[in-house]
């Protein structure tokens, strides 16, 4: 029986946290996905961990792996020109994003100038606190722009820690990420030197044939929410001190049912009790989307061939 698989690895967590390689596999004859393997890796056992990673990739014939880590570099990382400052960067991709930001802000200003009273009325209405507001009722970049999104745009594009991909994600996810997780997406804004070094080291132990993809757990969870596989309360309670374990169990069961993934009880117990393992499993769902050829195609200006970023579609 032919099968195909894809692995995942979440790099989140502190120095003393284990991280987990996760592997899901599809068997077309039975039209069923299986969580095939969860491999815990400990930094303090470097030699054993290095060999375990190589053996895991070899034994399961892993050819594709999804990580939650930037695979491409920011514009400044390899730039050698005399820097005129972030706001005057001459690189074409940076200029393109600056122009797109300027166009959005100019359009918003045009609405203000055309009918300031109507704009203020709609602004006040948008600012009203509405519990259980549908976060998908308006795309972030559609007018009226929220105050928080306008503030983000006015801060500008920083070529030393943003990629062009970041602006695309801001356009479609900024308000949703802020509302759901109280966070923004900045490629290198939340990446520590420890994680940079950690990933660089681990990557050297991957065979050259392994194709890497990038994904983001919060974007995946928002898409699970959009498709109604999960509810808002599921996501809100995932990190609750008292109810986190129970919520993760319920969340995994919903995913298992809706996305046709079979999970053995032993692996289920690991996913429920270990947030790092759960994060890797969520990344694996983006990998499943790639194998199903359902993930969204991103515009060329986001440099998709370099970022290999996955935006899943669970509908």
């Amino acid at each position: 029986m032919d099968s195909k698989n894809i692995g995942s690895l979440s790099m989140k967590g502190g120095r003393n946290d284990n991280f987990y390689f996760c592997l899901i596999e599809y068997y077309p004859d039975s039209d069923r996905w299986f969580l095939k393997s969860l491999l815990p890796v400990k930094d303090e056992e470097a030699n054993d961990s290095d060999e375990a990673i190589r053996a895991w990739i070899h034994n399961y014939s892993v050819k594709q792996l999804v990580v939650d880590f930037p695979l491409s570099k920011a514009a400044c990382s390899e730039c050698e020109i005399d820097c005129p400052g972030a706001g005057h960067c001459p690189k074409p991709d940076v200029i393109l994003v600056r122009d797109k930001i300027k166009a959005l802000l100019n359009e918003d200003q045009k609405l203000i100038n055309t009918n300031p009273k109507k704009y203020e009325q709609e602004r006040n209405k948008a600012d009203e606190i509405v519990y259980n507001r549908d976060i998908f009722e308006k795309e972030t970049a559609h007018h009226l722009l929220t105050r928080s999104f306008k503030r983000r745009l006015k801060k500008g594009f920083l070529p030393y820690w943003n990629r062009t991909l970041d602006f695309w994600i801001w356009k479609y996810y900024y308000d949703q990420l802020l509302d759901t997780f109280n966070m923004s997406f900045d490629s290198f804004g939340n990446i520590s030197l420890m994680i940079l070094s950690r990933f660089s080291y681990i990557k050297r132990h991957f065979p050259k044939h392994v194709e890497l993809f990038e994904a983001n757990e919060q974007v995946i969870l928002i898409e699970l929410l959009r498709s109604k596989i999960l509810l808002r309360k599921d996501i809100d309670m995932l990190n609750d001190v008292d109810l986190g374990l129970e919520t993760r169990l319920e969340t995994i069961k919903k995913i298992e049912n809706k996305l046709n993934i079979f999970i053995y009880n032993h692996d289920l117990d690991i996913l429920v009790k270990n947030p790092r393992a759960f994060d890797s499993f969520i990344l694996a769902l983006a990998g499943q989307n790639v194998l199903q050829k359902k993930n969204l195609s991103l515009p060329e200006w986001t440099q998709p061939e370099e970022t290999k970023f996955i935006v899943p579609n669970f509908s």
Side-chain angles (χ1 to χ4, degrees):
M1 180 178 1
D2 292 333
S3 63
K4 53 185 178 180
N5 64 35
I6 192 163
S8 58
L9 167 66
S10 174
M11 296 294 296
K12 300 288 179 64
R15 172 67 179 80
N16 296 322
D17 290 336
N18 291 355
F19 52 91
Y20 285 81
F21 284 86
C22 176
L23 183 77
I24 61 171
E25 192 158 23
Y26 176 66
Y27 292 88
D29 288 356
S30 59
D31 189 27
R32 194 75 190 270
W33 293 85
F34 289 82
L35 198 168
K36 191 75 172 179
S37 173
L38 282 172
L39 173 71
V41 177
K42 297 181 179 181
D43 275 349
E44 62 267 23
E45 299 174 1
N47 292 332
D48 291 341
S49 295
D50 298 345
E51 182 56 38
I53 293 169
R54 284 191 289 266
W56 184 81
I57 290 174
H58 174 75
N59 293 339
Y60 289 104
S61 300
V62 178
K63 295 181 175 61
Q64 296 172 306
L65 188 72
V66 183
V67 299
D68 55 355
F69 188 89
L71 297 179
S72 61
K73 297 179 180 179
C76 285
S77 61
E78 297 178 342
C79 183
E80 296 181 357
I81 66 171
D82 290 334
C83 183
H88 301 281
C89 177
K91 289 209 165 187
D93 54 334
V94 178
I95 293 173
L96 182 145
V97 172
R98 282 207 309 261
D99 288 345
K100 288 180 179 294
I101 290 175
K102 184 178 179 180
L104 270 178
L105 291 173
N106 286 345
E107 191 174 348
D108 184 78
Q109 188 61 46
K110 183 179 178 180
L111 292 174
I112 296 174
N113 296 338
T114 301
N115 195 332
K117 184 175 181 180
K118 180 182 178 182
Y119 183 93
E120 189 61 26
Q121 288 173 341
E122 293 184 0
R123 164 65 62 220
N124 291 336
K125 183 178 180 181
D127 287 343
E128 291 176 358
I129 297 176
V130 179
Y131 293 101
N132 298 320
R133 185 197 295 270
D134 181 5
I135 64 172
F136 303 113
E137 67 180 3
K138 183 186 82 68
E139 288 187 358
T140 298
H142 285 180
H143 296 279
L144 296 176
L145 306 182
T146 61
R147 293 184 193 274
S148 56
F149 185 50
K150 283 182 65 175
R151 284 195 297 270
R152 183 64 195 83
L153 294 179
K154 289 178 178 178
K155 287 180 181 178
F157 180 83
L158 301 176
Y160 50 84
W161 79 19
N162 292 133
R163 298 173 292 171
T164 53
L165 169 71
D166 294 27
F167 176 67
W168 188 91
I169 293 179
W170 296 344
K171 282 182 64 178
Y172 296 101
Y173 291 97
Y174 185 86
D175 288 343
Q176 288 82 2
L177 287 170
L178 190 64
D179 183 87
T180 309
F181 301 103
N182 194 30
M183 63 164 285
S184 174
F185 183 93
D186 293 286
S187 290
F188 296 94
N190 297 313
I191 298 294
S192 68
L193 179 60
M194 177 197 74
I195 296 179
L196 280 167
S197 302
R198 191 185 207 187
F199 180 75
S200 177
Y201 174 79
I202 292 172
K203 186 179 177 181
R204 291 203 296 271
H205 298 283
F206 297 160
K208 294 188 183 300
H209 71 264
V210 175
E211 182 182 13
L212 296 178
F213 295 90
E214 178 186 345
N216 176 270
E217 290 98 327
Q218 287 74 31
V219 168
I220 297 168
L221 288 170
I222 284 176
E223 288 304 322
L224 289 169
L225 182 59
R226 189 195 305 272
S227 64
K228 296 181 169 54
I229 293 173
L230 299 181
L231 300 176
R232 175 62 185 264
K233 68 179 182 65
D234 298 325
I235 294 176
D236 288 344
M237 300 300 289
L238 278 176
N239 295 313
D240 186 271
V241 174
D242 298 318
L243 299 176
L245 292 177
E246 181 181 340
T247 302
R248 276 197 292 276
L249 176 60
E250 293 176 357
T251 298
I252 294 166
K253 286 294 186 181
K254 289 180 179 181
I255 292 171
E256 185 179 24
N257 178 51
K258 296 291 186 179
L259 298 184
N260 193 29
I261 302 174
F262 179 81
I263 303 174
Y264 294 99
N265 287 335
H266 171 70
D267 291 331
L268 180 62
D269 189 58
I270 294 174
L271 294 177
V272 169
K273 293 180 179 178
N274 295 273
R276 303 288 77 77
F278 178 81
D279 288 343
S280 287
F281 173 66
I282 294 299
L283 291 177
L285 305 182
Q288 179 193 42
N289 224 247
V290 169
L291 293 181
Q292 293 173 324
K293 302 185 185 305
K294 294 173 63 178
N295 55 300
L296 300 184
S297 296
L298 301 185
E300 284 301 314
W301 59 265
T302 66
Q303 303 171 336
E305 292 303 314
E306 295 181 24
T307 65
K308 305 300 289 287
F309 192 86
I310 304 170
V311 178
N313 173 18
F314 297 111
S315 59

